[in-house]
Amino acid sequence: MYATQALTHVIPLAEEFDKNKVTPGVLGFIVFAALAVGVWLLMKSMNRHMGKVNFEEAPDPDAVSADAGTPGTGAGRAR
């Protein structure tokens, strides 16, 4: 079968559709639902990982040693 013969069989089928009504259909819904589930899983994973993050800042070792090196004074050295 030639390509031109195949097109002549397909063209009458295309004219039966309403050209003013375009919908995504079932495949569009499935793709959208899969994306929504993927985003939900990513957000759930991000929440779990953010819960493990320690936001307490460790003290600066230079500042601690400078304060300990000068006994009797309440202030550290100026920077």
Side-chain angles (χ1 to χ4, degrees):
M1 180 182 253
Y2 295 109
T4 55
Q5 289 176 341
L7 286 176
T8 56
H9 293 294
V10 173
I11 290 174
L13 294 175
E15 292 177 0
E16 293 176 9
F17 295 114
D18 186 10
K19 295 178 182 179
N20 295 324
K21 182 180 178 186
V22 178
T23 61
V26 176
L27 180 63
F29 174 75
I30 291 171
V31 169
F32 182 77
L35 286 172
V37 168
V39 168
W40 180 73
L41 289 172
L42 282 172
M43 290 181 66
K44 188 174 178 181
S45 175
M46 183 189 69
N47 255 347
R48 192 175 331 120
H49 283 86
M50 291 298 286
K52 294 179 184 179
V53 173
N54 183 8
F55 287 108
E56 293 179 15
E57 194 172 318
D60 187 16
D62 292 337
V64 173
S65 64
D67 288 341
T70 56
T73 60
R77 63 182 179 168
R79 291 184 183 229

